[in-house]
Structure formats: C-alpha cells, structure tokens
Amino acid sequence: MSKNKRNSGLRFQPAGGTRAPQIPTGKKQRLSIERLAGDGRGIAFLDGRTWFVSGALAEEDVEARVLNTHGKVVEARLERVFKANPARREAPCKHFDRCGGCNLQHLPHAEQLALKQRLLAEQLQRVAGVQPEHWAAPLTGPEFGYRRRARVAVRWDNKAKNLEVGFRAEASQDIVAIDDCLVLVQPLQSIMRHLPTLLRSLSKPQVVGHVELFSGTALALLLRHTAPLSDGDLARLETFCGEAGVQLWLQGEGEPLPVVAGQSLGFALQPWSLELAYRPGDFVQVNAQVNTAMIEQALAWLAPQADERVLDLFCGLGNFALPLAQQAREVVAVEGVQAMVERAAANARSNNLHNTQFFQADLSQPLAASGWAAGGFSAVLLDPPRDGAFEVVRKIADLGAKRLVYVSCNPATLARDTVELVRQGYRLKSAGILDMFPQTAHVEAMALFEAG
C-alpha cells in the first residue's frame, strides 16, 4: 500500500456505531448487584455493560475493581461493601480475596446449597421445560477438609530468583502463595504447610513443573519435572516423603512412576468392601464422602436386579461399575481412554468381580455401531465430562433401557441432554444436587429418567 493511500484520512466505523471506550483495569466502580450468575459472581448493569463481580452477593451495593473487559462485559472483584446481603459471612480462609479456588466462602453453606439447587432447577426449566417429579435432598459432606486431591501450581520467577508455590489467582496466571488450604483433607494440609520450604530447598527448583497431592489408601506426592533431577535433589525429596509417610511419584516426559516400585495406591469404597487402584493423573472424585453418597443414591435409583444387564458409560476406574457388578447379572463399562479401560478391568479382577466387561470407545459418537451395545440393557448409568453426552443420548432408547441415571458436572449440558431424553419418551423422575465442591459455585447433579 502506498504512503498516500495509508494517509488518505478515511475512517471506518464498526457496524453498530462508535465503539464504547474500554474501562481500564484497576478502575473502581460503585455498583448495585441484582442477582448471582451461575458461577457465583454478582451481576450488575451499568451504562450498557454487564458487570460480573466476584465476592459480591445479590441485593448488595458495592465498590468493585476492574480485572478485565471484553466488549460490554466487565469482570471485576469486590473491593468494598456499602450495603450487605443479610446472609453474608466473613470468609473463613485468609486467602479468599485473591485465590481463584473457593469463590463462595462469603456465603453460608446452606445458602450455597440453595443457590446450586436453584441453578439446576433454572437450567432444567429454561432449556428442557421440565422439572423432576421429585426433588432429592442435596448430598452433602463436610464444608471444609473434604478435598483428597489437589494440584499445586509452581513457577520459577527468574527475576526474583524465587519459586512461587500455591494456587492460581482469580482471572489471572499469578500464583497466590499458599501454605495452608482449608478445603484439603487434614493429611494433605500437613504436607501443604511444608511443601514450599521443601521445593525451595532444591538446588534447581526451576525444573519443577507442578505438584499433585493425593490421599487415599496411602498418601502420595507427584512431582512433575521439566529436566532431570540431581541426585541431591532426589535425595531431599525422598527424605521428606519418607519422614512424612508419603509415596513419592515422579513424572518427566512419560507416565508418572513411583520412586519405590511396587507401591500400591488407590482409594476405598468402604460400603462395598472395594479398593480401586489409582495413579496420579487419573480422574478420581475429590470428595470421598460425597462420592460414597453419590454411588449409594445411584444404586438406589437405578435399582439393578440380579438378572439384569447394566451399561456404565464414561466408567473411569470403575467407580460405579464395580458396585453395580455386585448387584447386576452383568455390567458393560465403556470409557474413552484405553489406559483407563485397562486399569478399570484390573480393578475388577483384583476385587474378584468377573461379571464385568470393559471397552474403549469414542463416546462423542453414537453407540449403535458398537458391538458391545448388541443385546440391549435394562438400565444405563452415565457420568460424562462437562461437555455432556449429547451423541450418546440421541438414540439411547434403542438400547431398551427402562431406567437411566445421569450424573452431571454441568447443569447446562444435563438440561440440553434432557431435551433429547424426553423426546425419546423418558420422564424425569428425580433430580438433586451433589455438593462435591463446597465453597465453590461448581454444581454437580444426578437425574433419574424412566421410560414410558
């Protein structure tokens, strides 16, 4: 392009008129909060923009500080409360104002449950136009000290020559320095208190990628490293873990491996006298108490009989499949990741359950072409990821199942998939929330559908 054309003085306006000026990060603004969003943030409206304010509650007058702006959406953080919602409480955690983890600590636990119940009901009504015939009571556990797995963020600050250890800040890649976390189970809280000192004592702390902590049949610490560890650093880690009674696992370029070969690691499903092997990096429900209650409710709702064939989709390590196998004639369990299929099958064998079959399949695709679907099923259990199971449920009535339990970690996709199930003749009999993540706005739910 010539210089004359570049400087021709033409000005092009975007469609819709003049673009509104951006609001600078850090600006403070007084707002009136109207309601709570699905992620627990307060919603306010001002000058044609929608503000999402973390830390704010409905019907509050607040001052908020801008974190970032996207068009007419402003993300902000509470700075000051002028008029508080009567339900507001002091957040128990000293890191609440910065950490991006537990965003509902300022709301009493009973109010948190009511919010999650309302969000689930609104999604089902708005998207699917239905409500369950029966609302189940929330499945709950302790509101603190519940989390048996945690991923700890680690980053080397080359300028300050310091290793940052903690959890991600809200709406940021910054790491909040944390050496205690109220939602971790007690054994992991003890490890967390000493972890920053341990990692900073390494001769090359900059090679640490992240750390994962797990509490199950044993305690474990997985350290992900981006370059080989020195003999001295490995010795420091082994000494710490030995004194703390913690298994040490390392992960370089390949799979996580225990430093001491042959160590067993897993979690128990005590009501069923089951023990499932686990490796750091595998998916596992982080809340053991609610997980147990969830399985108990799923079994009660699905009511598998001794002569029935049951399908478990998105089976993971066998969290539902193995308890189901104790009641049904046969369980067919399907998972998308081959390594998980193999570990689930091994878990069935180690628990002396031989009426289970495990298969790998792409569960983002329809089921009809799968050989294991032949013969049909009396009942189906689904526990999909956040994307839901749209392709799976589109023709699920063809399997002949009269009862279907859907465990969801995203009410929006549960509601979307409910539309399909209702279209195929299923009725939403029961639904309720699972409080898997207290102090957060994350909503897990269970729904029972029956044919006819």
Side-chain angles (χ1 to χ4, degrees), residues 192-239:
M192 191 72 192
R193 279 193 288 272
H194 297 95
L195 185 63
T197 300
L198 166 69
L199 298 179
R200 288 171 186 140
S201 74
L202 302 179
S203 64
K204 290 187 176 180
Q206 56 267 45
V207 307
V208 180
H210 70 259
V211 173
E212 185 176 303
L213 306 177
F214 180 73
S215 174
T217 55
L219 297 174
L221 184 158
L222 168 69
L223 186 141
R224 171 82 172 90
H225 52 94
T226 58
L229 297 169
S230 68
D231 291 342
D233 285 348
L234 181 57
R236 287 185 185 89
L237 292 166
E238 289 183 290
T239 298

Side-chain angles (χ1 to χ4, degrees), residues 303-341:
Q305 302 300 301
D307 61 345
E308 290 185 325
R309 186 175 189 240
V310 178
L311 177 62
D312 177 14
L313 297 172
F314 309 91
C315 70
L317 294 169
N319 191 52
F320 288 106
L322 272 57
L324 283 169
Q326 293 181 340
Q327 299 185 18
R329 171 177 60 85
E330 179 186 1
V331 174
V332 174
V334 187
E335 170 60 45
V337 180
Q338 181 62 34
M340 295 288 276
V341 171

